[in-house]
Amino acid sequence: MVNGESSVNNNSTRIAALIIATLANFLTPFMSSAINIAVPAIGAEFAANAIILSWIPTSFLLAAAMFAVPFGRIADIHGMKKIFNYGVIIFTVASLLSALAPSVVALLLFRILQGIGGAMIFVTGLAIITSAFPPQERGKAIGINLASVYIGLSLGPVLGGIMTQYFGWRSLFYSMIPLGVLIIVISVWKLKDEWAVCKGEKFDFKGSILYSIALVMLMYGFSILSSTLGVIMLVLGILGLVGFVICELRVESPVLNIKLFKNTTFAFSNLAALINYSATFAVVFLLSLYLQYIKGFPADYAGLILIVQPVLMAVLSPFAGRLSDKFEAQIIASAGMGLCTIGLAFFAFIDANTSITFIMIGLSILGIGFAFFSSPNTSAIMGSVQKKFYGVASAMVSTMRLVGQMLSMGVALMAFSLFIGQVQITPAQYPGLLHSIHVVFIICTVMCLVGIFASLARGKTHNNG
């Protein structure tokens, strides 16, 4: 009877863990993709310039990337559920504050706070699922969890556009509040377990500060790489990360255990994730400009075309996760990276006369490829480390995603500054815009091609969980 009760409790914990992590994983991508649609409305209300407006989505990404690894370590020491709950509370409160923001500067500050809450959610949600599920069921659970990310990305532009048009941009932030409250209620009521496998160990404040500052300089420098300041910031960021690695190798309880990267599965799976996000994140941004400027489509119609990719990602991620439970994740993820390469290559050839069917085929290939890469790759990363490193491993998954997204946007911004310049996009700039899009997609295709080899180099995956 005791065993039966234990089995029921374990099953209840797994279901609760999957529900709260999946709902939380919907929050942040939905907000991130919806806010892009709302930026013009925010600019109109606050009379903000284009540079400040670009920081509304970027400030969230920067804050989340800065705090992901430190909070991963804090969660390992003080408990996954505790940090997760605090993260959802901070995200929800920041959403309320953003909805009430009296100025664009206040909105940026609240977006930074939202990014800190987002980092706490990113690093613990995946780690809670990995802790709650046995290795033979983990891939399926991670696949379902990742599907919620893609559903959020899919619904963001469509619902975000409708909400902004009919209820104002502040409604996007208000909509996050009831969902945040629901997640907290389920977590407190149903999730009884706590995971703190490094309890009592010291937290590395010096390493955390050095890491955060170096990462900000690196990402900010890359986003303005065409300027002298950008090059200086990039060099300082690289030097800061080198200093961080040296520092971490000498600390007894490092915020990031550098020795984890001696594990080829962990190291190359993270590298493959970084390359994949760097190559694919700017696709929707670039195609949105292409469809609205070059093709002259309205925003809602462009959004319906672009929805093809995330919908396929959402539908196929659980299936890809199940496959990785049964077959070698290395092969499935590498095949997915190969499909991403083909999808990106499609867009390197688009021009003003390219058919929508051609665009949708490219997006479909990319969506299928990303689904078959992401779930198995994430499962491989989490399965390659011991339980005591789940928080840090989960943080690395989030950091690779966030840094990759920033690098992807950095490549796009660099191309725009070289071929268009800091001017408003008018029909006179359309040839420069099209040239920029071609160059970025060629760079991204080559990056993804290299990513196939990084994915294959990890070797066979061994679950340590």
Side-chain angles (χ1 to χ4, degrees):
M1 184 69 184
V2 173
N3 289 337
E5 285 179 2
S6 175
S7 176
V8 170
N9 288 338
N10 284 341
N11 196 43
S12 177
T13 298
R14 286 173 199 166
I15 292 169
L18 186 58
I19 288 171
I20 63 163
T22 300
L23 286 175
N25 249 17
F26 172 85
L27 279 176
T28 45
F30 174 82
M31 192 73 244
S32 295
S33 59
I35 200 72
N36 288 325
I37 299 293
V39 162
I42 295 169
E45 181 173 330
F46 293 129
N49 65 49
I51 301 299
I52 291 176
L53 288 179
S54 70
W55 277 100
I56 292 171
T58 306
S59 57
F60 177 90
L61 285 174
L62 263 174
M66 278 175 66
F67 289 97
V69 167
F71 274 122
R73 177 64 179 157
I74 291 169
D76 282 336
I77 296 171
H78 296 289
M80 300 287 175
K81 187 179 80 170
K82 189 182 295 179
I83 300 303
F84 176 85
N85 286 347
Y86 285 148
V88 177
I89 290 168
I90 290 170
F91 186 91
T92 306
V93 170
S95 297
L96 175 60
L97 292 171
S98 297
L100 299 171
S103 68
V104 73
V105 174
L107 180 59
L108 286 175
L109 291 173
F110 299 145
R111 284 288 285 162
I112 290 169
L113 184 63
Q114 209 177 31
I116 294 169
M120 297 167 81
I121 294 169
F122 291 149
V123 301
T124 49
L126 182 58
I128 286 171
I129 287 177
T130 307
S131 301
F133 283 82
Q136 65 272 18
E137 296 178 23
R138 192 176 293 152
K140 180 183 176 182
I142 289 173
I144 292 169
N145 189 245
L146 286 174
S148 71
V149 174
Y150 306 140
I151 291 169
L153 289 172
S154 304
L155 292 178
V158 180
L159 285 182
I162 293 169
M163 290 169 70
T164 301
Q165 186 173 343
Y166 293 104
F167 306 107
W169 63 267
R170 295 175 190 271
S171 66
L172 296 177
F173 293 102
Y174 280 125
S175 69
M176 296 291 98
I177 297 167
L179 195 53
V181 171
L182 177 64
I183 293 167
I184 290 295
V185 169
I186 296 173
S187 178
V188 172
W189 179 37
K190 285 289 186 182
L191 202 63
K192 303 301 180 186
D193 292 359
E194 180 58 280
W195 298 274
V197 288
C198 299
K199 199 169 184 178
E201 291 186 12
K202 290 181 180 179
F203 179 70
D204 177 20
F205 282 101
K206 189 192 294 182
S208 297
I209 293 167
L210 183 58
Y211 169 83
S212 296
I213 292 172
L215 197 61
V216 168
M217 288 193 294
L218 186 72
M219 294 203 296
Y220 179 66
F222 198 87
S223 69
I224 56 166
L225 193 55
S226 57
S227 67
T228 305
L229 178 62
V231 175
I232 292 169
M233 293 289 278
L234 190 68
V235 171
L236 288 174
I238 292 168
L239 290 174
L241 288 179
V242 171
F244 168 72
V245 170
I246 294 169
C247 179
E248 293 302 277
L249 288 170
R250 295 175 179 174
V251 177
E252 189 178 337
S253 298
V255 67
L256 176 60
N257 193 326
I258 303 298
K259 291 174 184 175
L260 284 175
F261 288 93
K262 289 182 179 178
N263 177 333
T264 54
T265 300
F266 182 82
F268 281 105
S269 296
N270 272 296
L271 177 61
L274 176 65
I275 292 170
N276 190 267
Y277 280 108
S278 298
T280 59
F281 183 71
V283 168
V284 173
F285 172 71
L286 292 170
L287 290 182
S288 175
L289 296 180
Y290 168 80
L291 291 169
Q292 291 182 68
Y293 286 118
I294 308 294
K295 285 292 193 182
F297 294 143
D300 55 348
Y301 186 63
L304 286 172
I305 294 168
L306 295 173
I307 207 172
V308 171
Q309 180 192 340
V311 163
L312 281 169
M313 286 152 60
V315 170
L316 293 174
S317 282
F319 175 68
R322 282 199 298 273
L323 277 182
S324 71
D325 287 333
K326 296 177 181 177
F327 303 103
E328 186 52 52
Q330 170 202 15
I331 303 301
I332 299 166
S334 301
M337 186 78 91
L339 285 173
C340 287
T341 306
I342 295 167
L344 288 167
F346 261 62
F347 302 125
F349 299 99
I350 59 174
D351 57 32
N353 300 314
T354 301
S355 69
I356 297 306
T357 304
F358 185 88
I359 300 290
M360 292 181 78
I361 290 171
L363 285 169
S364 299
I365 295 170
L366 198 58
I368 295 166
F370 200 94
F372 277 84
F373 167 78
S374 195
S375 294
N377 192 69
T378 304
S379 187
I381 292 171
M382 298 305 294
S384 69
V385 300
Q386 297 172 329
K387 282 187 177 180
K388 66 180 291 187
F389 297 123
Y390 279 172
V392 170
S394 180
M396 284 310 299
V397 172
S398 298
T399 303
M400 292 302 107
R401 180 175 69 245
L402 293 162
V403 174
Q405 289 172 348
M406 288 293 294
L407 291 177
S408 193
M409 289 303 293
V411 171
L413 288 171
M414 190 166 60
F416 285 179
S417 66
L418 289 172
F419 303 118
I420 302 173
Q422 294 186 358
V423 294
Q424 190 176 356
I425 298 174
T426 61
Q429 273 74 47
Y430 287 1
L433 174 61
L434 205 52
H435 187 55
S436 299
I437 290 170
H438 287 154
V439 169
V440 175
F441 277 122
I442 289 168
I443 292 170
C444 290
T445 302
V446 173
M447 285 168 65
C448 231
L449 192 62
V450 173
I452 298 171
F453 297 101
S455 184
L456 287 169
R458 82 183 84 197
K460 289 192 174 182
T461 307
H462 303 286
N463 273 321
N464 291 327

